[in-house]
Amino acid sequence: MSADIAALVLGCEGPVLSVAEREFFRDANPLGFILFRRNVENPDQVRALVHDLRDSVGRHAPILIDQEGGRVARLRGPHWPELPAARAVGDLSDADKATKAAWLHGRLLAAMLADLGIDVDCAPVADVPVPGAHDVIGDRAFAMDPDKVARLAAAQAAGLLAGGVLPIVKHTPGHGRAFADSHKELPVVPTKRADLEAWDFAPFKTLAHLPAAMVAHVVYTDIDADRPSSISPIVIADIVRGHIGFDGLLFSDDLSMQALSGTLGQRTAAVLAAGCDVALHCNGQRTEMLDVAAHGRALDAAGRRRWSAASALVTAAPPTDINALRAEFDRLLAG
């Protein structure tokens, strides 16, 4: 690809960047990178990897991670503190306390990440599960009520931003009604559009002002029966950009998930053609990334505008007593 920044976020294989990876990233020039458990050992190692990833492209590229708390946490003990899943916050009966706890949850996540140079968190989860849905979302969701989910997700996002970390809302326009795990197969949701708008899409509409979001690999048969949201121009234009009104930076979910079919290059081309600003590939496998990079494109004018607006929100947090914030969070959760 050219010297232009590619509309890609890529992973790497392990805890140390290889010479081959450095050269590949230099040539591919992705917008940014994403870290997983395979990439983290201890704080100093992560800081070095973050530095080397940015050095490979010669700029302050965004570094993403999925650090929600609970079972979705790439950073774990003994080096990093444990935080509960979002549902532990949503289960608080007092609305004001729950909102404060959600903000603190985000602020504590941000402190953990910013200390390592990681500046983007793939959170909050704004999906609304329904009874019987697959547990792939489960307690990652704040609640089973759209209004509560929207309120608490907004508070968590504000806490992340206060700590100098950009939130990515997921999984627009909604993964909570899926009866399958999109990591393994394609979820198909036959619910009528009016019901989806009233329930599944509602939190994302409330959160449309946030700077970044990730789109789900889920088919909504009443909107586009032939394609999952991430590769559907109809869903992205009519629902995500239209009904929901989101004009921030839109990431695909991971291209290597089995909900999608075709080669990795075909998947890359499809999500970008559908209207995603950035294609996300996470597993760090070189052969796949070569195909992804070959079928990607430069970040277009709309993507550059959206990324500029989003990145401008990431500022260094003022000195804060994180231990005091954790103590306050723990008191709130204790009731």
Side-chain angles (χ1 to χ4, degrees):
M1 296 184 70
S2 71
D4 290 334
I5 294 174
L8 303 173
V9 164
L10 302 174
C12 58
E13 278 193 320
V16 177
L17 207 58
S18 69
V19 172
E21 285 176 321
R22 285 176 184 269
E23 293 174 349
F24 169 69
F25 292 144
R26 179 197 64 206
D27 294 339
N29 198 19
L31 172 67
F33 303 94
I34 187 165
L35 302 183
F36 278 77
R37 284 287 295 159
R38 66 180 183 273
N39 305 124
V40 302
E41 292 178 341
N42 60 69
D44 285 342
Q45 170 269 322
V46 175
R47 291 186 193 103
L49 178 59
V50 166
H51 172 272
D52 289 347
L53 286 166
R54 288 179 170 138
D55 186 63
S56 73
V57 293
R59 56 186 160 80
H60 190 84
I63 307 294
L64 287 66
I65 198 166
D66 290 281
Q67 191 74 14
E68 300 173 10
R71 57 193 161 105
V72 179
R74 314 309 184 196
L75 306 173
R76 294 183 177 273
H79 297 293
W80 294 281
E82 301 286 341
L83 283 168
R87 184 63 58 84
V89 173
D91 283 345
L92 293 174
S93 58
D94 183 284
D96 291 338
K97 289 182 178 180
T99 302
K100 179 63 175 178
W103 186 92
L104 287 165
H105 195 269
R107 183 65 184 82
L108 291 167
L109 288 169
M112 198 184 313
L113 304 187
D115 176 63
L116 303 170
I118 300 170
D119 52 3
V120 183
D121 195 3
C122 300
V125 172
D127 303 306
V128 189
V130 297
H134 194 283
D135 194 47
V136 65
I137 300 299
D139 67 356
R140 298 166 64 192
F142 284 101
M144 298 177 73
D145 170 76
D147 292 339
K148 180 182 282 190
V149 166
R151 174 169 51 82
L152 298 181
Q156 187 188 55
L160 282 163
L161 283 168
V165 172
L166 185 74
I168 299 180
V169 181
K170 59 190 187 186
H171 307 79
T172 189
H175 202 301
R177 199 178 292 270
F179 282 71
D181 180 353
S182 56
H183 294 87
K184 300 176 181 179
E185 58 184 307
L186 177 61
V188 177
V189 173
T191 307
K192 293 298 183 183
R193 175 170 174 163
D195 294 328
L196 293 168
E197 289 181 356
W199 189 269
D200 306 65
F201 303 166
F204 296 97
K205 189 175 180 70
T206 301
L207 300 169
H209 64 284
L210 290 176
M214 181 181 294
V215 66
H217 302 317
V218 175
V219 171
Y220 299 99
T221 59
D222 198 40
I223 300 167
D224 186 343
D226 300 320
R227 293 167 291 196
S229 300
S230 54
I231 63 170
S232 170
I234 297 170
V235 173
I236 291 178
D238 292 358
I239 303 301
V240 177
R241 300 296 191 193
H243 170 75
I244 289 172
F246 176 72
D247 189 37
L249 192 72
L250 187 64
F251 294 82
S252 74
D253 208 339
D254 183 10
L255 295 173
S256 59
M257 292 164 65
Q258 296 309 302
L260 298 182
S261 58
T263 67
L264 270 296
Q266 290 169 337
R267 298 177 191 191
T268 304
V271 299
L272 294 173
C276 291
D277 295 305
V278 181
L280 175 66
H281 181 266
C282 296
N283 66 26
Q285 294 182 14
R286 183 172 172 77
T287 54
E288 290 191 7
M289 291 195 295
L290 287 168
D291 198 13
V292 168
H295 289 81
R297 58 161 171 76
L299 195 64
D300 63 18
R304 292 194 302 271
R305 171 180 61 80
R306 290 166 178 148
W307 170 239
S308 178
S311 59
L313 298 176
V314 180
T315 58
T320 305
D321 186 341
I322 297 301
N323 290 331
L325 294 183
R326 180 62 197 248
E328 182 181 4
F329 177 76
D330 289 343
R331 284 195 299 272
L332 288 170
L333 256 62

